[in-house]
Amino acid sequence: MSEPGGSVRILVTGGSGLVGRAIQEVVADGAGLPGEDWVFVSSKDADLTDAAQTRALFEKVRPTHVIHLAAMVGGLFRNIKYNLDFWRKNIHINDNVLHSAFEVGVRKVVSCLSTCIFPDKTTYPIDETMIHNGPPHNSNFGYSYAKRMIDVQNRAYFQQHGCTFTAVIPTNVFGPHDNFNIEDGHVLPGLIHKVHLAKSSGSALTVWGTGKPRRQFIYSLDLARLFIWVLREYDEVEPIILSVGEEEEVSIQEAAEAVVEAMDFRGEVTFDTSKSDGQFKKTASNGKLRTYLPDFRFTPFKQGEPPALPWLSYPIPRDLPAPPSWLWVTPAPP
Amino acid sequence: MSEPGGSVRILVTGGSGLVGRAIQEVVADGAGLPGEDWVFVSSKDADLTDAAQTRALFEKVRPTHVIHLAAMVGGLFRNIKYNLDFWRKNIHINDNVLHSAFEVGVRKVVSCLSTCIFPDKTTYPIDETMIHNGPPHNSNFGYSYAKRMIDVQNRAYFQQHGCTFTAVIPTNVFGPHDNFNIEDGHVLPGLIHKVHLAKSSGSALTVWGTGKPRRQFIYSLDLARLFIWVLREYDEVEPIILSVGEEEEVSIQEAAEAVVEAMDFRGEVTFDTSKSDGQFKKTASNGKLRTYLPDFRFTPFKQAVKETCAWFTHNYEQARK
């Protein structure tokens, strides 16, 4: 990626979000290379739904590479209500970022899709060739189509101008700096926040839905390491799924149980089946990733006896980085 | 559509194009109703790829209804070269028009899709429920996705705000005021222009491709009448195909023969098979239209071709080419 005598400046949009912060952490911990200048921006630096502001940002930063994470995102219930806004805002952000990148001569852009955008009626596991093979789940069709159109626009930049604009497709991401808002956030941070509140108030944990839908979860720090690998080494325009394997898929109930055990919650666990479940499954194949990186090791979702979330509880496994102190929800035993 | 004591103002974007001019003609010929004020605009009035200009246009005109025809369009060969531009320009135009319409309280918008945007790998005939069931043909994926997203955005306006924004899906349109440019235009006007030149220069007619692909052609004046019916009477958000029936599908070769006959061309007809054929077929069902309008009569193909050829010959100097 670096050129002799040349430097590389990587602009990361959405730098203050879940994935952006993970990339910051991984780079700060030594994943950056000499000659690489990493610039993380957020909505404080520019409103990316505004074309002029986006262009001004790109002219100011003059990146050679872009990791494009900025988006309007939300959990199931917010998506259901605001499909128009999720469609329009994300189309605007993506068009502004991709076209500004093109205009200032960025050599490579890696954008971020999601497995939730795949066809609703499909065979499993889904893979990178299937993104456009049918309509997405109706709950978040606005968001889903806006994300799919990143891939369309990437291919159009390649077809008309030969640009290497590509994308990754993570499954459900979780980790520090997530949005833990119960109404608007995603399922795992929502569960963590709910257990925290249930413990403090001595009430039950109410899981929305039946608990039966299944998900593959990827830890944000693992995703960050893979994102950096894609930026440096992955040269296809077709996207790549970044996920744990199919065998690591868990139900929402199992995820809730993992959080309950890790946080030592002793109260009642109930399921509010009046709430929507969203998609039943989105099982994705990480076969393409495995052909490139057969030996990449993901942080285990839970491990040890009694089961613990290595990134959330005591004891901290020796061979994993220590989570930052804000992650402690119960004091470490003496 | 009209309200007691209220009036209706219909803004038609792309008013100077093939379909826009046909609607103008049909309205001028008496299809308009009392209380209807028809406003036709073109790129001279506003650059619809610009959000501010589009909003200013809507504030000035203050329409109650919109027929949205404006788009960046082109024939097969231009699409193949400029997929990015066809994607971006059309996404901008459509978002600017739909959102300005929403913001000024337009009651209904009827946009224009095309059967060329349907999935490439599909069963036939295609119908309105199948638009998003797979990727479009690769030759014009930029244009196709931009048009498909009109339907997505329509559904989003309905889901979030209850708006009645809908769309029609014509098959291959032809008629007076088309773009007859041989490089950039569509197949039928291209053939008409080529025959005209072949006659003048005494040379052969060269049809691009094998002549075997099949198309349903709809005369612009018929489409215009149907557009007006949709604006007044069709209240679904899901789009509706406006086309002749499947049995009216013809090959490019048969279309060329119809033009040759209409223009009395006596020279040689050859096929340049080195040129791309585009999609082999796009056969669409007009079943939904027929449940609403079982008795609608389309102008017969050869008659419509004859009228269009006569228009072109008569208006050769001013025609877009």
Side-chain angles (χ1 to χ4, degrees):
Chain A
M1 190 164 92
S2 299
E3 281 149 23
S7 63
V8 157
R9 179 171 297 140
I10 304 117
L11 173 68
V12 182
T13 72
S16 61
L18 169 63
V19 183
R21 291 283 197 123
I23 295 176
Q24 281 194 55
E25 191 170 318
V26 158
V27 167
D29 274 355
L33 292 175
E36 279 179 1
D37 176 21
W38 288 80
V39 179
F40 295 85
V41 296
S42 75
S43 50
K44 289 204 241 357
D45 302 285
D47 174 2
L48 299 176
T49 64
D50 182 292
Q53 286 195 41
T54 309
R55 181 61 193 264
L57 175 72
F58 273 75
E59 303 243 356
K60 190 175 96 173
V61 173
R62 299 224 73 97
T64 57
H65 295 70
V66 175
I67 289 181
H68 171 42
L69 306 172
M72 175 175 169
V73 300
L76 173 66
F77 299 96
R78 189 151 163 249
N79 265 281
I80 285 176
K81 277 177 78 168
Y82 299 109
N83 270 294
L84 179 69
D85 295 346
F86 276 94
W87 160 255
R88 286 193 81 233
K89 297 281 177 210
N90 283 316
I91 276 284
H92 292 168
I93 291 169
N94 298 333
D95 183 59
N96 292 338
V97 168
L98 290 178
H99 211 63
S100 294
F102 168 72
E103 289 183 320
V104 305
V106 165
R107 286 175 235 160
K108 189 165 177 182
V109 180
V110 183
S111 295
C112 194
L113 273 47
S114 165
T115 47
C116 72
I117 72 177
F118 274 80
D120 184 38
K121 296 195 183 350
T122 181
T123 55
Y124 294 99
I126 52 189
D127 66 49
E128 294 84 352
T129 66
M130 295 161 66
I131 298 173
H132 305 284
N133 282 3
H137 194 261
N138 204 49
S139 57
N140 63 339
F141 73 87
Y143 173 89
S144 294
Y145 276 116
K147 283 291 187 179
R148 289 182 179 202
M149 294 306 113
I150 290 177
D151 178 57
V152 169
Q153 199 157 342
N154 283 348
R155 290 191 282 126
Y157 278 108
F158 178 70
Q159 182 266 322
Q160 193 170 327
H161 298 288
C163 308
T164 310
F165 290 4
T166 189
V168 304
I169 317 176
T171 45
N172 275 52
V173 194
F174 69 99
H177 306 286
D178 204 343
N179 175 9
F180 289 82
N181 182 290
I182 288 167
E183 295 284 332
D184 296 340
H186 292 92
V187 64
L188 209 54
L191 286 170
I192 292 169
H193 192 175
K194 282 185 177 179
V195 169
H196 183 87
L197 292 177
K199 283 182 75 170
S200 325
S201 63
S203 49
L205 166 68
T206 305
V207 180
W208 286 347
T210 62
K212 295 191 184 344
R214 304 180 65 72
R215 299 289 183 264
Q216 286 148 294
F217 290 98
I218 180 170
Y219 188 33
S220 60
L221 296 181
D222 293 338
L223 179 59
R225 292 179 196 106
L226 290 171
F227 239 114
I228 294 169
W229 167 78
V230 168
L231 183 73
R232 290 180 184 147
E233 313 277 356
Y234 179 77
D235 288 326
E236 297 183 41
V237 170
E238 188 192 74
I240 180 168
I241 289 171
L242 301 180
S243 174
V244 298
E246 303 162 51
E247 65 285 357
E248 303 295 329
E249 196 180 53
V250 297
S251 69
I252 299 302
Q253 178 164 356
E254 288 171 308
E257 285 166 358
V259 173
V260 158
E261 289 187 67
M263 294 173 76
D264 198 32
F265 176 69
R266 310 287 179 91
E268 193 193 353
V269 178
T270 63
F271 292 86
D272 181 356
T273 54
S274 74
K275 296 282 195 186
S276 173
D277 261 341
Q279 256 179 284
F280 181 69
K281 55 189 273 177
K282 315 174 184 177
T283 320
S285 164
N286 70 352
K288 187 176 197 178
L289 173 64
R290 285 304 184 196
T291 62
Y292 279 96
L293 296 178
D295 301 321
F296 183 85
R297 290 185 57 226
F298 289 93
T299 306
F301 185 64
K302 65 177 193 175
Q303 72 175 19
E305 199 58 50
L309 299 170
W311 42 273
L312 189 61
S313 68
Y314 185 87
I316 304 168
R318 294 273 167 246
D319 59 338
L320 288 173
S325 58
W326 72 269
L327 264 182
W328 291 100
V329 291
T330 48
Chain B
M1 191 163 93
S2 300
E3 281 148 24
S7 62
V8 156
R9 178 170 297 139
I10 305 118
L11 173 68
V12 181
T13 72
S16 61
L18 169 64
V19 183
R21 289 285 196 124
I23 295 177
Q24 281 194 55
E25 192 171 318
V26 158
V27 167
D29 275 356
L33 291 175
E36 280 180 359
D37 176 21
W38 288 80
V39 179
F40 294 85
V41 296
S42 75
S43 50
K44 288 205 240 5
D45 302 285
D47 174 2
L48 299 175
T49 64
D50 182 290
Q53 287 195 40
T54 309
R55 180 62 193 264
L57 175 71
F58 273 75
E59 303 243 354
K60 190 176 95 171
V61 174
R62 299 224 73 96
T64 57
H65 295 70
V66 175
I67 288 181
H68 171 43
L69 306 173
M72 176 177 168
V73 300
L76 174 66
F77 299 95
R78 188 150 164 249
N79 266 279
I80 285 176
K81 278 178 77 170
Y82 298 109
N83 271 293
L84 178 70
D85 295 348
F86 275 94
W87 160 255
R88 288 193 79 234
K89 296 281 177 212
N90 283 316
I91 276 285
H92 292 168
I93 290 170
N94 298 334
D95 183 59
N96 291 337
V97 168
L98 289 177
H99 211 62
S100 294
F102 168 72
E103 289 183 320
V104 306
V106 165
R107 285 175 234 159
K108 189 165 176 181
V109 180
V110 183
S111 295
C112 195
L113 274 47
S114 166
T115 47
C116 72
I117 72 177
F118 275 80
D120 184 39
K121 295 195 183 352
T122 181
T123 55
Y124 295 100
I126 51 188
D127 66 48
E128 293 86 352
T129 66
M130 294 162 65
I131 298 174
H132 305 283
N133 283 2
H137 194 261
N138 203 49
S139 58
N140 63 339
F141 73 87
Y143 173 88
S144 294
Y145 276 115
K147 282 291 187 179
R148 289 181 178 203
M149 294 305 113
I150 291 177
D151 178 57
V152 169
Q153 200 157 344
N154 283 347
R155 290 192 280 124
Y157 278 108
F158 178 70
Q159 182 267 321
Q160 194 170 327
H161 298 289
C163 308
T164 310
F165 291 4
T166 188
V168 304
I169 316 175
T171 45
N172 276 53
V173 194
F174 70 99
H177 305 283
D178 205 341
N179 175 11
F180 291 83
N181 182 291
I182 288 167
E183 295 284 334
D184 296 341
H186 292 92
V187 64
L188 211 53
L191 287 169
I192 294 172
H193 191 178
K194 282 183 175 180
V195 169
H196 183 95
L197 293 177
K199 282 179 77 172
S200 325
S201 63
S203 49
L205 166 68
T206 305
V207 180
W208 286 346
T210 62
K212 295 191 182 348
R214 303 180 65 71
R215 298 290 183 264
Q216 286 148 295
F217 290 98
I218 180 170
Y219 191 29
S220 60
L221 296 179
D222 293 339
L223 179 59
R225 292 178 195 106
L226 289 171
F227 240 114
I228 294 170
W229 167 77
V230 167
L231 184 73
R232 290 181 184 146
E233 313 278 355
Y234 179 77
D235 288 326
E236 298 183 41
V237 171
E238 188 191 74
I240 180 168
I241 289 171
L242 301 180
S243 173
V244 297
E246 303 162 51
E247 64 286 356
E248 305 293 329
E249 195 179 54
V250 297
S251 68
I252 299 303
Q253 178 164 355
E254 288 170 312
E257 285 164 359
V259 173
V260 158
E261 200 185 309
M263 295 176 81
D264 198 32
F265 176 68
R266 311 286 179 91
E268 194 193 351
V269 178
T270 63
F271 291 86
D272 181 356
T273 55
S274 74
K275 297 283 194 186
S276 174
D277 262 342
Q279 257 180 282
F280 181 69
K281 56 188 272 177
K282 315 173 184 178
T283 321
S285 163
N286 71 352
K288 186 175 197 178
L289 173 64
R290 285 303 185 197
T291 61
Y292 278 96
L293 296 177
D295 301 322
F296 183 85
R297 292 187 55 226
F298 290 92
T299 308
F301 182 58
K302 290 195 171 178
Q303 178 189 329
V305 168
K306 224 173 150 62
E307 289 178 17
T308 307
C309 292
W311 183 90
F312 182 69
T313 308
H314 189 73
N315 293 282
Y316 183 75
E317 295 305 316
Q318 315 91 280
R320 287 187 288 148
K321 55 190 186 295

